[in-house]
């Protein structure tokens, strides 16, 4: 049982600063809400945010309220990168050191905002861009994006006679971002909060463009209970489907090793968006094999297998240094 003294001890350990307050309108178990809280806590108060249209923007600012405790601007779905770049240039001209953060969903980052993001990276703006990747256009009713994983069901990639959910593969955005040779790009997951904090602090200390892709389960869009979000996010990592990596100037620098690799089925079966893969027919069996092959490929190209401690125990801190190796 929690006594008054343990509660006050825990409070003392909480970060002092909260950039995103409770009382917003996110769904129970929303991965984006948790990720945004962790990012803003770690970034601290001296920041300004440009937020693309999407769930995060909607649930934090139902007119006339706002859950943000930091200067925050919403513009359009497609231009968070450009707005952030302008804010950074203006602050620089004024001689201010306030760090600019850009927030976008996967649709706002991988698809419609990609041009603005690419320009921001190429011009070298001092902005930390955070992509809250819930693998579909959730805000408008679960449409597929180029981040939606292969075979997932969305309202625009329904399984049926012609296809088993989404036909195409999930876009490898972090590789594309890293190909701009920016100082730092990384992936992270809400299942590993200390790893998110560490990566945000690292990016904040860099004077130049940095990028963080955070895997954020969406109970509504993925079809799992809200209290399963962390378990689902952890399995995405531990199956090899969502590798946790860091890239410096385009080269692979660190990975989170996986000492206890799980079969992809253990991740897929928790989510209704993959339920058609568990039908008793040959097509379903072949798709499951295909998805296992995708995970095996990730494990191989990033050298994920190994490590001594379970990654969950170490919360991603136990990464393996990979001496600035270039990767294709
Ligand atoms: C130019 C334009 N096209 C479409 C929309 C409608 N729209 C608003 S948010 C959104 C989806 C957002 O998806 P994502 O970026 O993945 O964020 P999520 O809601 O999943 O967090 C869409 C299609 C828009 N606002 N502007
Ligand atoms: Mg999304």
């Amino acid at each position: 049982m929690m006594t008054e003294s343990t509660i006050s001890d825990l409070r003392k350990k909480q970060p002092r600063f909260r950039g995103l307050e409770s009382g917003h309108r996110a769904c129970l178990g929303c991965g984006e809400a948790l990720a945004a809280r962790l990012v803003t806590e770690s970034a601290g108060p001296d920041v300004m945010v440009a937020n693309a249209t999407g769930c995060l923007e909607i649930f934090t600012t139902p007119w006339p309220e706002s859950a943000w405790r930091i200067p925050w601007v919403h513009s359009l779905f497609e231009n968070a990168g450009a707005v952030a770049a302008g804010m950074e240039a203006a602050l620089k001209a004024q001689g201010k050191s306030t760090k600019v953060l850009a927030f976008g969903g996967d649709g706002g980052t991988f698809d419609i905002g990609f041009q603005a993001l690419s320009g921001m990276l190429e011009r070298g703006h001092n902005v930390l861009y955070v992509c809250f990747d819930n693998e579909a256009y959730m805000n408008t009713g679960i449409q597929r994006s180029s981040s939606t994983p292969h075979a997932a069901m969305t309202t625009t990639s329904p399984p049926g006679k012609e296809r088993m959910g989404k036909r195409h593969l999930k876009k490898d955005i972090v590789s594309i971002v890293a190909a701009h040779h920016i100082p730092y790009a990384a992936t992270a997951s809400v299942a590993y909060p200390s790893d998110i904090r560490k990566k945000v602090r690292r990016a904040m200390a860099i004077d130049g463009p940095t990028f963080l892709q955070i895997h954020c389960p969406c109970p509504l869009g993925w079809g799992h209970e809200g209290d399963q979000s962390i378990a689902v996010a952890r399995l995405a990592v531990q199956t090899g489907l969502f590798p946790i990596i860091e890239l410096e100037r385009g080269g692979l620098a660190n990975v989170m090793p996986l000492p206890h690799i799980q079969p992809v089925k253990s991740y897929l079966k928790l989510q209704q968006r993959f339920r058609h893969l568990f039908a008793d027919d040959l097509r379903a069996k072949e798709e499951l094999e295909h998805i296992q092959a995708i995970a095996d490929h990730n494990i191989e190209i990033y050298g994920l297998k190994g490590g001594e401690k379970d990654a969950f125990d170490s919360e991603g801190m136990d990464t393996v240094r990979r001496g600035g190796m270039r990767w294709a």
Side-chain angles (χ1 to χ4, degrees), residues 234-277:
R234 191 180 305 143
L235 277 167
V237 174
Q238 300 212 333
T239 52
L241 283 173
F242 193 87
I244 303 291
I245 60 173
E246 288 183 305
L247 299 118
E248 294 166 6
R249 296 256 168 235
L252 185 64
N254 290 306
V255 303
M256 182 195 283
L258 303 177
H260 306 294
I261 293 169
Q262 303 295 319
V264 294
K265 271 188 193 170
S266 64
Y267 170 64
L268 304 173
K269 73 174 181 226
L270 296 179
Q271 305 168 62
Q272 292 291 315
R273 65 176 172 158
F274 294 114
R275 69 175 172 221
H276 50 288
L277 301 179

Short mmCIF file of all heavy atoms in Angstrom, two decimals, residues 234-277:
data_model
loop_
_atom_site.label_atom_id
_atom_site.label_comp_id
_atom_site.label_asym_id
_atom_site.label_seq_id
_atom_site.Cartn_x
_atom_site.Cartn_y
_atom_site.Cartn_z
N ARG A 234 5.82 -2.54 -26.21
CA ARG A 234 7.04 -3.30 -25.85
C ARG A 234 7.24 -4.47 -26.82
O ARG A 234 8.35 -4.75 -27.26
CB ARG A 234 6.90 -3.81 -24.41
CG ARG A 234 8.20 -4.37 -23.84
CD ARG A 234 7.99 -4.85 -22.42
NE ARG A 234 7.44 -3.81 -21.58
CZ ARG A 234 6.54 -4.02 -20.62
NH1 ARG A 234 6.07 -5.22 -20.38
NH2 ARG A 234 6.10 -3.01 -19.90
N LEU A 235 6.11 -5.13 -27.19
CA LEU A 235 6.24 -6.27 -28.10
C LEU A 235 6.64 -5.82 -29.50
O LEU A 235 7.34 -6.55 -30.21
CB LEU A 235 4.93 -7.07 -28.14
CG LEU A 235 4.80 -8.07 -26.99
CD1 LEU A 235 3.37 -8.60 -26.90
CD2 LEU A 235 5.79 -9.23 -27.14
N ALA A 236 6.22 -4.63 -29.92
CA ALA A 236 6.65 -4.13 -31.24
C ALA A 236 8.17 -4.07 -31.28
O ALA A 236 8.81 -4.40 -32.29
CB ALA A 236 6.06 -2.75 -31.49
N VAL A 237 8.78 -3.68 -30.17
CA VAL A 237 10.24 -3.59 -30.10
C VAL A 237 10.84 -4.99 -30.00
O VAL A 237 11.78 -5.34 -30.72
CB VAL A 237 10.66 -2.72 -28.88
CG1 VAL A 237 12.18 -2.73 -28.72
CG2 VAL A 237 10.15 -1.29 -29.06
N GLN A 238 10.28 -5.80 -29.11
CA GLN A 238 10.92 -7.10 -28.80
C GLN A 238 10.74 -8.14 -29.90
O GLN A 238 11.41 -9.16 -29.89
CB GLN A 238 10.41 -7.60 -27.46
CG GLN A 238 10.76 -6.59 -26.37
CD GLN A 238 11.04 -7.19 -25.02
OE1 GLN A 238 10.54 -8.26 -24.71
NE2 GLN A 238 11.86 -6.52 -24.24
N THR A 239 9.84 -7.89 -30.84
CA THR A 239 9.73 -8.79 -31.99
C THR A 239 10.69 -8.38 -33.11
O THR A 239 10.89 -9.13 -34.05
CB THR A 239 8.29 -8.74 -32.58
OG1 THR A 239 7.96 -7.37 -32.80
CG2 THR A 239 7.28 -9.38 -31.65
N GLY A 240 11.24 -7.16 -33.02
CA GLY A 240 12.09 -6.65 -34.10
C GLY A 240 11.30 -5.84 -35.11
O GLY A 240 11.87 -5.33 -36.08
N LEU A 241 9.97 -5.70 -34.92
CA LEU A 241 9.18 -4.93 -35.91
C LEU A 241 9.42 -3.43 -35.78
O LEU A 241 9.29 -2.70 -36.75
CB LEU A 241 7.68 -5.25 -35.75
CG LEU A 241 7.26 -6.59 -36.34
CD1 LEU A 241 5.82 -6.91 -36.00
CD2 LEU A 241 7.46 -6.64 -37.86
N PHE A 242 9.74 -2.95 -34.58
CA PHE A 242 10.05 -1.52 -34.42
C PHE A 242 11.43 -1.40 -33.75
O PHE A 242 11.54 -1.33 -32.53
CB PHE A 242 8.97 -0.80 -33.60
CG PHE A 242 9.10 0.70 -33.69
CD1 PHE A 242 8.49 1.41 -34.71
CD2 PHE A 242 9.89 1.40 -32.78
CE1 PHE A 242 8.64 2.79 -34.81
CE2 PHE A 242 10.04 2.78 -32.89
CZ PHE A 242 9.42 3.47 -33.90
N PRO A 243 12.50 -1.39 -34.54
CA PRO A 243 13.85 -1.34 -33.96
C PRO A 243 14.12 0.01 -33.29
O PRO A 243 13.72 1.05 -33.82
CB PRO A 243 14.78 -1.53 -35.16
CG PRO A 243 13.92 -1.92 -36.30
CD PRO A 243 12.53 -1.46 -36.01
N ILE A 244 14.80 -0.02 -32.16
CA ILE A 244 15.16 1.21 -31.45
C ILE A 244 16.62 1.51 -31.78
O ILE A 244 17.52 0.77 -31.38
CB ILE A 244 14.97 1.05 -29.93
CG1 ILE A 244 13.52 0.64 -29.60
CG2 ILE A 244 15.35 2.32 -29.18
CD1 ILE A 244 12.48 1.69 -29.84
N ILE A 245 16.82 2.60 -32.52
CA ILE A 245 18.16 2.90 -33.05
C ILE A 245 18.49 4.39 -32.92
O ILE A 245 17.60 5.22 -32.78
CB ILE A 245 18.29 2.46 -34.54
CG1 ILE A 245 17.27 3.21 -35.41
CG2 ILE A 245 18.11 0.97 -34.68
CD1 ILE A 245 17.44 2.98 -36.90
N GLU A 246 19.78 4.68 -32.99
CA GLU A 246 20.25 6.07 -33.05
C GLU A 246 21.18 6.21 -34.24
O GLU A 246 22.03 5.32 -34.47
CB GLU A 246 21.03 6.44 -31.78
CG GLU A 246 20.15 6.59 -30.55
CD GLU A 246 20.94 7.02 -29.32
OE1 GLU A 246 21.92 6.31 -28.97
OE2 GLU A 246 20.60 8.05 -28.72
N LEU A 247 21.03 7.32 -34.97
CA LEU A 247 21.89 7.56 -36.14
C LEU A 247 22.55 8.92 -35.99
O LEU A 247 21.88 9.90 -35.64
CB LEU A 247 21.06 7.54 -37.41
CG LEU A 247 20.35 6.20 -37.66
CD1 LEU A 247 18.86 6.37 -37.66
CD2 LEU A 247 20.80 5.61 -38.96
N GLU A 248 23.85 8.96 -36.23
CA GLU A 248 24.57 10.23 -36.16
C GLU A 248 25.12 10.55 -37.53
O GLU A 248 25.84 9.74 -38.12
CB GLU A 248 25.72 10.11 -35.15
CG GLU A 248 25.23 9.91 -33.72
CD GLU A 248 26.33 9.46 -32.77
OE1 GLU A 248 27.51 9.40 -33.19
OE2 GLU A 248 26.00 9.14 -31.62
N ARG A 249 24.78 11.73 -38.05
CA ARG A 249 25.23 12.17 -39.39
C ARG A 249 25.01 11.08 -40.45
O ARG A 249 25.86 10.83 -41.29
CB ARG A 249 26.71 12.55 -39.37
CG ARG A 249 26.98 13.74 -38.49
CD ARG A 249 27.21 15.01 -39.30
NE ARG A 249 27.19 16.18 -38.43
CZ ARG A 249 26.41 17.25 -38.61
NH1 ARG A 249 25.61 17.33 -39.64
NH2 ARG A 249 26.45 18.26 -37.79
N GLY A 250 23.90 10.39 -40.34
CA GLY A 250 23.54 9.40 -41.36
C GLY A 250 24.05 7.99 -41.08
O GLY A 250 23.69 7.05 -41.77
N GLY A 251 24.90 7.82 -40.08
CA GLY A 251 25.46 6.50 -39.78
C GLY A 251 24.82 5.91 -38.53
O GLY A 251 24.51 6.63 -37.57
N LEU A 252 24.63 4.59 -38.53
CA LEU A 252 24.06 3.91 -37.37
C LEU A 252 25.05 3.99 -36.20
O LEU A 252 26.22 3.63 -36.35
CB LEU A 252 23.78 2.45 -37.72
CG LEU A 252 23.07 1.61 -36.67
CD1 LEU A 252 21.66 2.14 -36.40
CD2 LEU A 252 22.99 0.15 -37.12
N ALA A 253 24.59 4.50 -35.04
CA ALA A 253 25.49 4.69 -33.90
C ALA A 253 25.16 3.73 -32.75
O ALA A 253 26.07 3.18 -32.12
CB ALA A 253 25.41 6.14 -33.42
N ASN A 254 23.90 3.54 -32.45
CA ASN A 254 23.49 2.66 -31.33
C ASN A 254 22.22 1.91 -31.68
O ASN A 254 21.38 2.43 -32.42
CB ASN A 254 23.16 3.50 -30.08
CG ASN A 254 24.37 4.13 -29.47
OD1 ASN A 254 25.35 3.46 -29.16
ND2 ASN A 254 24.32 5.44 -29.30
N VAL A 255 22.08 0.72 -31.09
CA VAL A 255 20.80 0.02 -31.18
C VAL A 255 20.44 -0.50 -29.80
O VAL A 255 21.32 -0.72 -28.96
CB VAL A 255 20.84 -1.18 -32.16
CG1 VAL A 255 21.26 -0.73 -33.55
CG2 VAL A 255 21.73 -2.30 -31.66
N MET A 256 19.16 -0.70 -29.56
CA MET A 256 18.75 -1.38 -28.33
C MET A 256 18.77 -2.88 -28.61
O MET A 256 18.02 -3.37 -29.46
CB MET A 256 17.33 -0.97 -27.91
CG MET A 256 16.91 -1.64 -26.62
SD MET A 256 15.13 -1.52 -26.34
CE MET A 256 15.01 0.15 -25.81
N PRO A 257 19.65 -3.62 -27.93
CA PRO A 257 19.75 -5.05 -28.21
C PRO A 257 18.54 -5.81 -27.66
O PRO A 257 17.90 -5.37 -26.71
CB PRO A 257 21.03 -5.47 -27.50
CG PRO A 257 21.25 -4.45 -26.44
CD PRO A 257 20.56 -3.19 -26.86
N LEU A 258 18.26 -6.96 -28.27
CA LEU A 258 17.11 -7.76 -27.86
C LEU A 258 17.58 -9.14 -27.40
O LEU A 258 17.80 -10.03 -28.22
CB LEU A 258 16.14 -7.92 -29.03
CG LEU A 258 15.60 -6.63 -29.67
CD1 LEU A 258 14.72 -6.96 -30.87
CD2 LEU A 258 14.82 -5.81 -28.65
N PRO A 259 17.71 -9.34 -26.09
CA PRO A 259 18.16 -10.66 -25.61
C PRO A 259 17.06 -11.72 -25.69
O PRO A 259 17.35 -12.90 -25.79
CB PRO A 259 18.55 -10.41 -24.15
CG PRO A 259 17.96 -9.11 -23.77
CD PRO A 259 17.60 -8.36 -25.01
N HIS A 260 15.78 -11.30 -25.67
CA HIS A 260 14.67 -12.27 -25.68
C HIS A 260 13.72 -11.92 -26.81
O HIS A 260 12.65 -11.34 -26.59
CB HIS A 260 13.92 -12.26 -24.35
CG HIS A 260 14.81 -12.47 -23.18
ND1 HIS A 260 15.47 -13.66 -22.96
CD2 HIS A 260 15.17 -11.64 -22.17
CE1 HIS A 260 16.20 -13.55 -21.87
NE2 HIS A 260 16.06 -12.33 -21.37
N ILE A 261 14.11 -12.28 -28.03
CA ILE A 261 13.29 -11.92 -29.20
C ILE A 261 11.98 -12.72 -29.18
O ILE A 261 11.99 -13.92 -28.93
CB ILE A 261 14.09 -12.17 -30.49
CG1 ILE A 261 15.26 -11.18 -30.53
CG2 ILE A 261 13.20 -12.03 -31.73
CD1 ILE A 261 16.29 -11.46 -31.59
N GLN A 262 10.88 -12.02 -29.43
CA GLN A 262 9.55 -12.66 -29.42
C GLN A 262 9.06 -12.86 -30.86
O GLN A 262 9.39 -12.08 -31.75
CB GLN A 262 8.55 -11.74 -28.70
CG GLN A 262 8.94 -11.37 -27.29
CD GLN A 262 8.97 -12.57 -26.37
OE1 GLN A 262 8.09 -13.43 -26.44
NE2 GLN A 262 9.99 -12.66 -25.53
N PRO A 263 8.25 -13.92 -31.08
CA PRO A 263 7.67 -14.10 -32.43
C PRO A 263 6.66 -12.99 -32.74
O PRO A 263 5.98 -12.51 -31.82
CB PRO A 263 6.96 -15.47 -32.33
CG PRO A 263 6.75 -15.70 -30.87
CD PRO A 263 7.82 -14.94 -30.13
N VAL A 264 6.57 -12.59 -34.01
CA VAL A 264 5.68 -11.47 -34.36
C VAL A 264 4.21 -11.75 -33.98
O VAL A 264 3.46 -10.83 -33.67
CB VAL A 264 5.77 -11.06 -35.85
CG1 VAL A 264 7.12 -10.49 -36.18
CG2 VAL A 264 5.38 -12.19 -36.77
N LYS A 265 3.82 -13.03 -33.99
CA LYS A 265 2.44 -13.39 -33.64
C LYS A 265 2.05 -12.85 -32.27
O LYS A 265 0.90 -12.46 -32.06
CB LYS A 265 2.29 -14.91 -33.60
CG LYS A 265 1.93 -15.53 -34.90
CD LYS A 265 1.62 -17.00 -34.66
CE LYS A 265 1.57 -17.75 -35.97
NZ LYS A 265 1.51 -19.18 -35.79
N SER A 266 3.02 -12.84 -31.33
CA SER A 266 2.69 -12.41 -29.96
C SER A 266 2.28 -10.93 -29.96
O SER A 266 1.47 -10.50 -29.14
CB SER A 266 3.86 -12.65 -29.02
OG SER A 266 4.97 -11.86 -29.41
N TYR A 267 2.84 -10.16 -30.88
CA TYR A 267 2.48 -8.73 -31.01
C TYR A 267 1.17 -8.57 -31.78
O TYR A 267 0.26 -7.86 -31.34
CB TYR A 267 3.63 -8.03 -31.73
CG TYR A 267 3.37 -6.60 -32.15
CD1 TYR A 267 3.14 -5.60 -31.22
CD2 TYR A 267 3.39 -6.24 -33.50
CE1 TYR A 267 2.92 -4.28 -31.61
CE2 TYR A 267 3.17 -4.93 -33.90
CZ TYR A 267 2.93 -3.96 -32.96
OH TYR A 267 2.71 -2.66 -33.35
N LEU A 268 1.07 -9.26 -32.91
CA LEU A 268 -0.07 -9.07 -33.82
C LEU A 268 -1.39 -9.53 -33.19
O LEU A 268 -2.43 -8.91 -33.37
CB LEU A 268 0.17 -9.84 -35.12
CG LEU A 268 1.48 -9.50 -35.87
CD1 LEU A 268 1.69 -10.45 -37.04
CD2 LEU A 268 1.47 -8.05 -36.36
N LYS A 269 -1.32 -10.61 -32.41
CA LYS A 269 -2.58 -11.19 -31.91
C LYS A 269 -3.26 -10.32 -30.85
O LYS A 269 -4.43 -10.51 -30.55
CB LYS A 269 -2.36 -12.62 -31.41
CG LYS A 269 -1.63 -12.72 -30.12
CD LYS A 269 -1.60 -14.16 -29.63
CE LYS A 269 -0.88 -14.19 -28.30
NZ LYS A 269 0.09 -15.20 -28.13
N LEU A 270 -2.53 -9.36 -30.29
CA LEU A 270 -3.13 -8.46 -29.30
C LEU A 270 -3.98 -7.36 -29.94
O LEU A 270 -4.63 -6.60 -29.24
CB LEU A 270 -2.04 -7.80 -28.45
CG LEU A 270 -1.18 -8.70 -27.58
CD1 LEU A 270 -0.14 -7.87 -26.82
CD2 LEU A 270 -2.06 -9.46 -26.59
N GLN A 271 -3.93 -7.24 -31.28
CA GLN A 271 -4.56 -6.09 -31.94
C GLN A 271 -5.59 -6.51 -32.99
O GLN A 271 -5.29 -7.29 -33.89
CB GLN A 271 -3.47 -5.26 -32.63
CG GLN A 271 -2.35 -4.85 -31.70
CD GLN A 271 -1.17 -4.29 -32.48
OE1 GLN A 271 -1.29 -3.29 -33.16
NE2 GLN A 271 -0.02 -4.96 -32.38
N GLN A 272 -6.77 -5.89 -32.88
CA GLN A 272 -7.84 -6.19 -33.83
C GLN A 272 -7.46 -5.84 -35.26
O GLN A 272 -7.97 -6.42 -36.20
CB GLN A 272 -9.10 -5.40 -33.44
CG GLN A 272 -9.75 -5.85 -32.15
CD GLN A 272 -10.36 -7.22 -32.29
OE1 GLN A 272 -11.03 -7.53 -33.26
NE2 GLN A 272 -10.10 -8.08 -31.31
N ARG A 273 -6.57 -4.89 -35.45
CA ARG A 273 -6.23 -4.48 -36.83
C ARG A 273 -5.52 -5.60 -37.60
O ARG A 273 -5.35 -5.52 -38.81
CB ARG A 273 -5.39 -3.19 -36.84
CG ARG A 273 -4.02 -3.30 -36.20
CD ARG A 273 -3.22 -2.00 -36.33
NE ARG A 273 -1.99 -2.09 -35.54
CZ ARG A 273 -0.91 -1.36 -35.75
NH1 ARG A 273 -0.90 -0.45 -36.71
NH2 ARG A 273 0.16 -1.50 -34.99
N PHE A 274 -5.06 -6.63 -36.87
CA PHE A 274 -4.41 -7.76 -37.53
C PHE A 274 -5.23 -9.05 -37.41
O PHE A 274 -4.73 -10.13 -37.68
CB PHE A 274 -3.02 -8.00 -36.92
CG PHE A 274 -2.05 -6.88 -37.17
CD1 PHE A 274 -1.57 -6.10 -36.12
CD2 PHE A 274 -1.60 -6.59 -38.45
CE1 PHE A 274 -0.67 -5.06 -36.34
CE2 PHE A 274 -0.70 -5.54 -38.68
CZ PHE A 274 -0.24 -4.78 -37.63
N ARG A 275 -6.51 -8.94 -36.99
CA ARG A 275 -7.25 -10.17 -36.67
C ARG A 275 -7.44 -11.08 -37.89
O ARG A 275 -7.50 -12.30 -37.76
CB ARG A 275 -8.58 -9.85 -36.00
CG ARG A 275 -9.57 -9.20 -36.92
CD ARG A 275 -10.92 -8.99 -36.29
NE ARG A 275 -11.68 -8.20 -37.23
CZ ARG A 275 -12.47 -7.20 -36.91
NH1 ARG A 275 -12.63 -6.87 -35.66
NH2 ARG A 275 -13.11 -6.52 -37.84
N HIS A 276 -7.50 -10.49 -39.10
CA HIS A 276 -7.68 -11.30 -40.31
C HIS A 276 -6.48 -12.22 -40.58
O HIS A 276 -6.58 -13.16 -41.35
CB HIS A 276 -7.93 -10.39 -41.53
CG HIS A 276 -6.93 -9.29 -41.65
ND1 HIS A 276 -6.91 -8.21 -40.80
CD2 HIS A 276 -5.89 -9.12 -42.51
CE1 HIS A 276 -5.91 -7.41 -41.14
NE2 HIS A 276 -5.27 -7.94 -42.16
N LEU A 277 -5.34 -11.92 -39.92
CA LEU A 277 -4.15 -12.76 -40.11
C LEU A 277 -4.24 -14.06 -39.33
O LEU A 277 -3.40 -14.95 -39.48
CB LEU A 277 -2.88 -12.01 -39.69
CG LEU A 277 -2.61 -10.69 -40.43
CD1 LEU A 277 -1.35 -10.03 -39.91
CD2 LEU A 277 -2.49 -10.95 -41.93
#
